[in-house]
Amino acid sequence: MNAKVEEKYWDDAVDGEECTSPEYVVTEARINAYAELTGDFTPVHIDEEYAKTTPFGTRVAHGLFGLSIADGLKTQSDMRFIPGMSLGWTWDFRLPIKINDTLRVRFKVTNRRLSKSKPGWGIIVLASELINQFDEVVQVGEHRLMIPRRPGQF
């Protein structure tokens, strides 16, 4: 993570601004750890022999593992925001995430507005794509965030 990146207030966000995160390698150990953490031991995620009999032909990561990685990678990027509140996600799974895939998230500010209910705060929407090493979009969606405004700007 680049420690010199200045976190942005809502006022600093620019419609259309884009960023791509650092890379993340999906390992067997990470998939197993996610299964332990969540309690989701579905065989397609943890049993290679079983997974070979599925349409995937091999073990795949949990879908929510991908969303979790996308969220974490954003925090390691060169465009970070002052901590606020997540208002929700819309998220679609497009392709399987396999062991040894290298992922990154590409995200873009697509909408900004002032909060109607919380003075001193604004809402941004980040369109996000989780991309593998082949530049294929494996998951896609958007994240709605409430971010503090810069002090003295309202």
Side-chain angles (χ1 to χ4, degrees), residues 78-144:
D78 289 336
M79 183 170 41
R80 289 195 301 274
F81 295 93
I82 298 289
M85 295 172 257
S86 177
L87 298 177
W89 289 85
T90 57
W91 202 248
D92 295 317
F93 307 141
R94 296 255 175 102
L95 295 171
I97 297 170
K98 298 179 179 180
I99 294 171
N100 296 321
D101 276 355
T102 300
L103 305 176
R104 64 193 184 288
V105 65
R106 182 171 45 222
F107 58 99
K108 175 166 117 176
V109 177
T110 57
N111 195 354
R112 310 170 56 241
R113 72 172 176 84
L114 293 173
S115 172
K116 295 173 185 161
S117 63
K118 198 163 177 67
W121 292 74
I123 296 169
I124 64 169
V125 177
L126 297 176
S128 304
E129 296 177 315
L130 188 62
I131 303 160
N132 67 16
Q133 68 274 17
F134 305 113
D135 213 30
E136 299 169 323
V137 176
V138 296
Q139 297 184 358
V140 64
E142 63 181 29
H143 189 195
R144 293 174 313 286

Side-chain angles (χ1 to χ4, degrees), residues 29-50:
R30 287 175 164 168
I31 291 172
N32 290 342
Y34 190 85
E36 284 288 333
L37 178 67
T38 63
D40 181 351
F41 297 99
T42 304
V44 73
H45 305 307
I46 63 164
D47 182 342
E48 183 63 31
E49 291 308 309
Y50 172 84

